[in-house]
Amino acid sequence: MNDNSAKTLIVVSLALCLITFSVALLQPRYLGEYFYLGALIFIEAMLIALWGFARRFFPVLIGVFLWAGMDIPLRELWISRRWFVLAIAAIAGFAIYIKDRRHTFTGFHLTALFCVVSAIVSALVSSYPQTAILKALSLFLLFTYASTGARLAMSEREGKFCFSLLLGCELLVWIGVISYFVFRHPIFGNPNSLGAIFGVVVLPVLLWGTFVSQQPNLYRRRIFTLILGLLLLFASYSRAGILAATISCIVLCISLGRYRMLIKGVGAALLAAFLIATIAPMNLTESGSLSQFVYKGEQEKGLLASRRSVWDQAVISIRRRPWLGSGFGTVATNYETTIAQTAGFESGGVTSEHGNSYLAITEWVGLLGVVPFFALALVVAIRSVRVLVWLSRTRDPFSPAVPIALIMIAGLIHAGFEDWLFAVGYYLCVFFWSLAFILMDVLPATPANFVSASPGFTFATPSANLDPAMSGR
């Protein structure tokens, strides 16, 4: 620990002690009430997280939003306080980021700002203006943090960041296995949430983790964890999650030229699907049938029968207010008679299911306002394809851009069937856009020096390729 870190730790410790002592001395009754005691602990926890902001606050922020979205104790506590954590992250991240003149903003960040402006304009004409403005504010806080604090989380520590990402995915798999297969408790909520987090994040990252594992025991552990995650994904019966994971994993194997691994993976996936369809079928009358993963309901109604009705309703709503939309994060089905009833971040009855993130944002901000949102998603898609093209040429997975690009591709595909992409209150939205802004800084380019980080990793710098001869493979 250097002198500056030691001094910071001393200052933070003294501040925490001073706060606790002051409350105990001036208002001792507050320490006997759960609300005030919880608020004091919350403040102290945020001060600790702010110390070493770049390393600590990203996992804290994702953990808080994940906690608020999971079916675990104290979930209600974080549903409201997550917004304070996001606000702290945005303000602190911006203040720290702009101090260093080396950090810059690009057209991608300007596009994100236009998205916020579009959200505010749509909120002003919404039937629920207070709710829409608050949700636009949450989008502004998210993009502010993603543009500043999230980029600091990986800056000059790419290896440690990706190592932590892999470790977090392994931890989620074991939490899922224990909760779903042992205690029969849906800890991630509804099956679609389980499919979203495993299809978009966990499986693509774990598969990439097997390719960069340089130790046999580490490789075997991640393969085993990957198989367990595959079982959990199929247990969700989430077609969107399965499709997203399938495409991203296939693209990774093809880009690396690992065709044998691809064939083995397809065989393992079919076996896992058959096992889940037999042991835990969605419909008892179709036990053992793989059609359960393809159709929801009667096959005669078609593959997208469960989505067609909500898509049609979204299109009808777009036609009613085509230009400026119904307001960011809100929906009004009768624009002439609907009266605003909600004035907070919790939407209540002002939102509805869309079954498609792109239809949802079009309905919210209209055809004029949706342009920057689509441009933002398009840039993310193009940058992700650039990473895969680079990967197919070098056949070397040792770049921090690779796992992020896989998450981006899986997320953009999955968003075509679920409406979470711009729902800031959902943990996957916060995680996705934080990584999307990080991706802009870690795109591989020309050969340069290399950075050696956590065990099992040797990563290129944000503007470097990795020489295969130096990877230790």
Side-chain angles (χ1 to χ4, degrees):
M1 180 182 293
N2 55 37
D3 293 339
N4 291 332
S5 299
K7 291 179 181 179
T8 304
L9 178 60
I10 293 173
V11 171
V12 171
S13 301
L14 291 176
L16 295 178
C17 293
L18 181 61
I19 292 174
T20 305
F21 178 76
S22 300
V23 173
L25 182 64
L26 300 177
Q27 299 291 341
R29 63 183 180 87
Y30 286 164
L31 296 181
E33 299 182 13
Y34 289 115
F35 175 80
Y36 296 107
L37 182 61
L40 179 61
I41 295 175
F42 173 77
I43 294 173
E44 293 179 349
M46 288 300 100
L47 288 175
I48 294 174
L50 286 172
W51 174 65
F53 178 87
R55 300 190 308 274
R56 293 189 177 92
F57 217 94
F58 180 77
V60 168
L61 177 66
I62 300 302
V64 166
F65 273 79
L66 187 60
W67 196 332
M70 296 171 67
D71 187 10
I72 55 178
L74 302 179
R75 172 178 178 268
E76 295 78 9
L77 178 68
W78 293 108
I79 287 179
S80 57
R81 293 188 181 180
R82 58 183 168 167
W83 302 115
F84 294 103
V85 178
L86 180 59
I88 293 171
I91 296 171
F94 181 78
I96 296 173
Y97 192 84
I98 61 174
K99 285 184 178 181
D100 193 337
R101 295 183 181 275
R102 296 176 300 171
H103 296 145
T104 59
F105 297 99
T106 64
F108 183 77
H109 305 93
L110 182 61
T111 305
L113 179 60
F114 286 145
C115 289
V116 175
V117 173
S118 174
I120 294 174
V121 171
S122 69
L124 296 177
V125 299
S126 173
S127 300
Y128 305 92
Q130 292 177 315
T131 298
I133 288 175
L134 287 174
K135 290 196 172 189
L137 174 61
S138 69
L139 181 70
F140 171 72
L141 293 176
L142 172 59
F143 283 172
T144 300
Y145 171 72
S147 300
T148 55
R151 296 165 71 186
L152 292 173
M154 186 180 257
S155 179
E156 299 180 356
R157 51 188 306 271
E158 293 86 359
K160 292 181 180 180
F161 184 92
C162 292
F163 179 78
S164 300
L165 179 62
L166 264 171
L167 195 62
C169 289
E170 292 184 71
L171 181 61
L172 284 176
V173 170
W174 286 106
I175 291 175
V177 167
I178 294 172
S179 61
Y180 281 88
F181 295 154
V182 178
F183 294 103
R184 303 284 183 177
H185 175 66
I187 193 172
F188 293 105
N190 63 63
N192 286 337
S193 292
L194 174 63
I197 191 171
F198 274 77
V200 174
V201 180
V202 175
L203 285 189
V205 171
L206 284 179
L207 179 61
W208 170 78
T210 63
F211 291 138
V212 298
S213 299
Q214 297 174 302
Q215 302 170 6
N217 59 338
L218 191 62
Y219 175 80
R220 288 192 292 268
R221 189 189 79 192
R222 287 173 179 163
I223 282 289
F224 182 67
T225 309
L226 178 64
I227 294 173
L228 292 178
L230 194 61
L231 291 172
L232 282 167
L233 177 61
F234 281 114
S236 71
Y237 287 94
S238 171
R239 296 176 299 173
I242 295 172
L243 177 65
T246 300
I247 294 177
S248 61
C249 291
I250 288 176
V251 166
L252 176 62
C253 291
I254 292 177
S255 298
L256 290 173
R258 304 291 184 89
Y259 301 108
R260 182 178 298 178
M261 184 66 170
L262 175 60
I263 295 173
K264 291 180 180 179
V266 171
L270 291 175
L271 182 60
F274 179 76
L275 185 64
I276 292 296
T278 303
I279 297 177
M282 185 173 60
N283 190 344
L284 294 176
T285 60
E286 298 181 2
S287 178
S289 175
L290 298 183
S291 64
Q292 299 174 82
F293 300 102
V294 180
Y295 298 97
K296 290 287 183 71
E298 300 179 5
Q299 298 185 16
E300 293 77 10
K301 294 183 179 179
L303 183 64
L304 300 175
S306 61
R307 290 286 188 272
R308 191 172 295 114
S309 60
V310 291
W311 288 352
D312 291 342
Q313 183 59 46
V315 171
I316 292 173
S317 298
I318 292 172
R319 289 174 177 172
R320 289 179 176 176
R321 277 192 175 181
W323 303 118
L324 296 179
S326 59
F328 184 76
T330 64
V331 175
T333 56
N334 189 338
Y335 298 107
E336 286 74 29
T337 60
T338 302
I339 300 176
Q341 299 175 350
T342 308
F345 280 106
E346 299 304 318
S347 303
V350 303
T351 60
S352 65
E353 182 184 359
H354 298 84
N356 186 302
S357 294
Y358 309 108
L359 283 177
I361 192 62
T362 304
E363 181 179 356
W364 292 346
V365 299
L367 297 176
L368 294 178
V370 81
V371 174
F373 287 94
F374 280 3
L376 203 67
L378 182 61
V379 171
V380 172
I382 293 174
R383 295 300 178 93
S384 301
V385 171
R386 273 187 57 188
V387 174
L388 295 176
V389 170
W390 170 86
L391 184 62
S392 65
R393 291 174 179 172
T394 62
R395 299 293 174 90
D396 198 314
F398 289 83
S399 168
V402 175
I404 299 178
L406 293 175
I407 294 173
M408 296 299 102
I409 292 172
L412 292 174
I413 293 171
H414 189 274
F417 302 93
E418 300 289 348
D419 48 355
W420 58 266
L421 190 59
F422 299 102
V424 182
Y426 191 48
Y427 51 81
L428 190 56
C429 173
V430 176
F431 185 76
F432 179 89
W433 287 113
S434 296
L435 291 189
F437 282 79
I438 291 175
L439 179 63
M440 302 301 121
D441 295 334
V442 297
L443 286 173
T446 56
N449 297 324
F450 307 106
V451 176
S452 180
S454 299
F457 291 94
T458 307
F459 282 116
T461 56
S463 61
N465 291 346
L466 181 65
D467 184 352
M470 299 181 65
S471 66
R473 291 187 298 166

